[in-house]
Amino acid sequence: MLASPEWKKAKTIGITVSRDPEWNTKMIMEKGWKQGKKVCVPKCFPAKKELQFYEIDGYHQLEDGFFDLIEPIPEKTDKKNKEEMDVLIVPGLIFDRRGYRIGFGGGYYDRFLSDFPNQTISLASSFQVRATIPACEYDIPVQQIITENEILSF
């Protein structure tokens, strides 16, 4: 991920603060800060079933949030629009070779991705990638999946 052209070009990254069994994203966030990139993390708004991203410059701007997620504290951060994020790292549990993913449920990312204008990447272990998984008309595939063995582009 950190050697990819998408990462090198990006000034602003959207990324979740990971939890098991996802890939650990803290190292990616820290590398972004060291390289002068803006790091934005999502906050869930369950009433509307939507995500909003906020720029953080350290872990002190995070708190335990909805569904045991680690989320930004809106009063201590700046909200960012979709267009401001050059790369969005999209979480998931299972992926397929078309770019579709199964996440933690709720469809938050699919709604967010429906009009996301920039690069989308998922990080996965090779055992998480299947030939195909069921996909619905509202599911939005990512543009790239990076595993320890390969880079899949769609």
Side-chain angles (χ1 to χ4, degrees):
M1 168 73 214
L2 301 177
S4 72
E6 293 82 9
W7 174 268
K8 290 177 181 176
K9 288 189 302 190
K11 293 182 173 90
T12 304
I13 306 296
I15 189 168
T16 59
V17 182
S18 61
R19 59 185 182 143
D20 286 335
E22 299 169 311
W23 276 28
N24 186 339
T25 58
K26 289 182 179 174
M27 180 270 307
I28 296 169
M29 295 166 61
E30 291 166 6
K31 188 70 163 182
W33 288 324
K34 282 183 183 174
Q35 293 179 356
K37 296 182 187 300
K38 294 179 181 179
V39 175
C40 302
V41 298
K43 180 165 183 64
C44 291
F45 291 89
K48 295 181 180 178
K49 287 200 168 208
E50 72 177 21
L51 294 177
Q52 293 179 359
F53 280 76
Y54 294 81
E55 182 182 346
I56 64 168
D57 58 25
Y59 299 119
H60 65 282
Q61 295 172 308
L62 299 171
E63 64 184 352
D64 291 334
F66 174 71
F67 204 60
D68 293 327
L69 297 174
I70 301 169
E71 298 183 325
I73 303 167
E75 300 78 35
K76 294 184 178 182
T77 56
D78 293 324
K79 183 180 171 186
K80 296 297 178 185
N81 294 321
K82 292 179 184 191
E83 300 78 23
E84 296 179 81
M85 290 182 284
D86 303 306
V87 172
L88 181 63
I89 300 171
V90 182
L93 296 171
I94 302 290
F95 304 86
D96 77 11
R97 295 187 164 276
R98 302 172 298 163
Y100 288 99
R101 52 179 272 290
I102 296 174
F104 290 96
Y108 287 82
Y109 268 91
D110 288 312
R111 277 187 283 286
F112 189 83
L113 292 173
S114 68
D115 61 351
F116 183 74
N118 296 317
Q119 182 72 33
T120 57
I121 298 172
S122 287
L123 307 174
S125 296
S126 57
F127 70 85
Q128 292 175 281
V129 180
R130 309 281 192 265
T132 60
I133 58 174
C136 299
E137 72 232 24
Y138 56 82
D139 290 335
I140 308 293
V142 294
Q143 296 165 329
Q144 195 172 73
I145 298 172
I146 298 174
T147 76
E148 72 278 14
N149 297 322
E150 61 186 333
I151 297 174
L152 304 167
S153 296
F154 315 102

